[in-house]
Amino acid sequence: MKKAVIKTFKEAVVNLGNLSDSATNEVTIAVSVSDRKKRAEVQFIRGNSFNQAWNEIEQALASAPQDAWVRLEVVHSIQRQSITTVKEQLNEMDRMNYWRRGISFDEKFQTALLEMEINGHEFFKPGENHKIGKNKSASWIDYDQITKYLKRRNGSVPLDLASAQQVWVFTTSGIFSNGEQIWRLDDSETGEKGLRQLVNPRQELHDYLYQGEAFLARQIKENGQFIYGYYPGLQRILSSYNSVRHFSSIYALLEAIAFTNNTDDLAKVKDALQWGLQELTITEGDALFAVERPKKGAPEIKLGAQAMLILALCKYQEVTHDETFLPQAKQAFNGVVAFRQDSGRFNHVLNTDLTVKDAFRIIYYEGEITFALARLYELIGDDHVLAAVKDSLDFMVTNDYGKYHDHWIAYAVNEALQIMPANREYMQLGLKNVYSHLQFIEDRDTAYPTLLELLNAAVKMTDIIKRTGNEDLLESYDLIRLRRAWQVRAEHELMAGAFQPELAMYFYAPQKFVGGFFARHDHFRTRIDDCEHFLSGLINYYNYTY
């Protein structure tokens, strides 16, 4: 790495301030370097002064590639704690992978680990009985794995980690560089610690969406099936599959291609549609059904998968103007009839002989199918399709579906108002659907991408309400609050859910995950449906905002 670049790094670190430990005046700086192909190599460098420490850092960086990913983090706020206290804190964590501080098992930092070393390698593991979102994580320290790692990193481990009765926890302030630009890393207790502070949110969102489209397209194999997902910390590829997520990911990828105009990926999308039609559908008479074939149990037909099949087929024609799949879209609508109840409600899951398996499974399905049918009507103008949209929304109005604060209901209402812009009942349904959930959205600290999708549709809907002369419906709602929550949520998602290089560098094959999106609380899971929800939400936010 060139001396001029290293000098720039030095200036950026100096500007962080708070360079030494106030108790000892020692300077401790963690240096993480990745060549983009392998996990970052980490060194903790200590000195009696900043300049003394920096001389060693310069030597470490001199051999790094010019385009290496580099993090430099100054250690501060060091506190000694008993191992019992730390174990109690781990046991009480609500979510796995949410330990947000560094830890050293010795005072001289020979066994120190950064927060992202801990999370990237899953050194703190959830208890066997942990169920995501249901109970405490009951996390525990995997001493054996940490010891093996430190031996590889340092050459030796100076003590038996499992016998340590006290540890030193710490926080850091730092910078990250991708070889072209330097970002300051967030070090606030309320922010996304260790991730870049956005300098130009519009440009950074724009750039990451291009990477996101490329990532999702890369997940399509030659036969048209997706790589379903990964646990990056565990180096595991997910082997299950799901018809809902196959077709919904195609839909989101088409949205992304429309955004990037990267038409080279349309051939992959067509392959994915053809694979899905061949492997994930069945035909009964003149009706086409998306079918789920679980590893255990009998095949079943889900209303949600039927909706996603229709959405994907419609979006493909919208983006490409290719009517290849129009007959299948119409056949899929014929299949929707089999789910209908006389009340206007839909059964949620059918057996493959079209008998009812589950009248209800999850609230998402009804919003999904209504949104899909609205999109199909806009494509083919069939009055039978429009009647189905009206029947479903009328049922939602009568049965107060606004209480469910579901992003698919928001999509359905917003899309229906494109067709029927004067329907005040649908407007009221949509307003309750978002405002009954707004406090939750404002307080939510996880990325939770469907919340942005809900806000996107809601903001668009309020503009329709204004344009159509129904502004009186908005008088009891705080629109400024809604739009503020919308912007905050979009930027938070980019910070808290995107596999930016400064995070990816601590996982195996780092470059592989840039452009992806993750669920931190589930082993940093990166699944195609995680990507599709983030992409859809962020693209629609960008398109409507900028």
Side-chain angles (χ1 to χ4, degrees), residues 86-285:
V86 171
K87 287 179 177 179
E88 288 173 353
Q89 293 171 350
L90 285 170
N91 187 67
E92 290 300 307
M93 285 198 313
D94 290 326
R95 314 180 190 104
M96 70 175 87
N97 298 323
Y98 267 79
W99 179 265
R100 305 309 304 270
R101 296 181 177 183
I103 191 167
S104 179
F105 295 90
D106 72 288
E107 192 172 10
K108 295 182 179 179
F109 276 65
Q110 292 175 293
T111 56
L113 298 166
L114 291 168
E115 175 229 324
M116 275 314 305
E117 285 184 281
I118 294 169
N119 287 321
H121 289 269
E122 297 214 5
F123 290 148
F124 295 170
K125 291 182 166 55
E128 290 183 5
N129 297 319
H130 174 54
K131 294 183 179 179
I132 296 169
K134 302 294 185 182
N135 57 11
K136 300 289 185 182
S137 72
S139 294
W140 55 278
I141 302 172
D142 189 336
Y143 290 109
D144 289 341
Q145 190 181 352
I146 295 172
T147 299
K148 290 177 183 176
Y149 171 74
L150 287 174
K151 283 181 178 178
R152 290 195 305 271
R153 193 188 78 177
N154 301 345
S156 63
V157 182
L159 72 157
D160 176 13
L161 302 184
S163 65
Q165 296 302 304
Q166 56 191 18
V167 294
W168 286 258
V169 297
F170 58 90
T171 58
T172 63
S173 299
I175 63 167
F176 167 77
S177 175
N178 62 357
E180 298 176 359
Q181 185 176 346
I182 295 174
W183 288 267
R184 181 165 181 164
L185 299 175
D186 193 293
D187 59 4
S188 65
E189 288 297 325
T190 57
E192 280 305 317
K193 293 172 70 72
L195 297 174
R196 69 185 62 188
Q197 294 179 348
L198 298 179
V199 178
N200 183 340
R202 175 181 180 177
Q203 187 62 49
E204 294 185 64
L205 174 55
H206 174 275
D207 293 347
Y208 199 83
L209 289 174
Y210 273 74
Q211 293 177 310
E213 185 273 321
F215 177 87
L216 190 52
R218 288 199 305 271
Q219 306 318 303
I220 300 176
K221 297 185 288 188
E222 287 187 7
N223 67 353
Q225 184 182 16
F226 283 94
I227 299 170
Y228 192 55
Y230 309 86
Y231 282 147
L234 301 176
Q235 298 191 38
R236 185 186 304 168
I237 297 176
L238 303 180
S239 60
S240 56
Y241 214 72
N242 180 289
S243 58
V244 176
R245 291 166 182 159
H246 177 85
F247 290 114
S248 61
S249 296
I250 291 173
Y251 176 82
L253 180 53
L254 284 163
E255 282 190 309
I257 290 171
F259 178 82
T260 64
N261 198 32
N262 182 14
T263 55
D264 290 344
D265 284 334
L266 287 175
K268 286 186 174 184
V269 173
K270 192 168 188 177
D271 289 343
L273 273 174
Q274 289 172 330
W275 184 90
L277 288 168
Q278 180 178 333
E279 301 293 335
L280 301 176
T281 65
I282 59 173
T283 302
E284 295 290 339

Side-chain angles (χ1 to χ4, degrees), residues 385-449:
V385 179
L386 180 59
V389 174
K390 290 179 178 178
D391 287 348
S392 181
L393 282 170
D394 289 345
F395 180 86
M396 291 182 190
V397 169
T398 301
N399 291 276
D400 191 23
Y401 269 49
K403 64 187 176 186
Y404 293 121
H405 43 76
D406 170 30
H407 65 287
W408 288 112
I409 291 174
Y411 274 146
V413 169
N414 183 60
E415 203 64 33
L417 290 176
Q418 313 295 322
I419 306 165
M420 299 168 281
N423 194 304
R424 289 169 63 88
E425 288 186 326
Y426 299 166
M427 294 173 184
Q428 290 170 315
L429 168 66
L431 287 168
K432 182 174 183 180
N433 187 56
V434 64
Y435 276 95
S436 64
H437 207 43
L438 197 52
Q439 188 66 53
F440 176 89
I441 294 172
E442 291 170 332
D443 294 341
R444 191 67 183 184
D445 61 334
T446 60
Y448 211 144

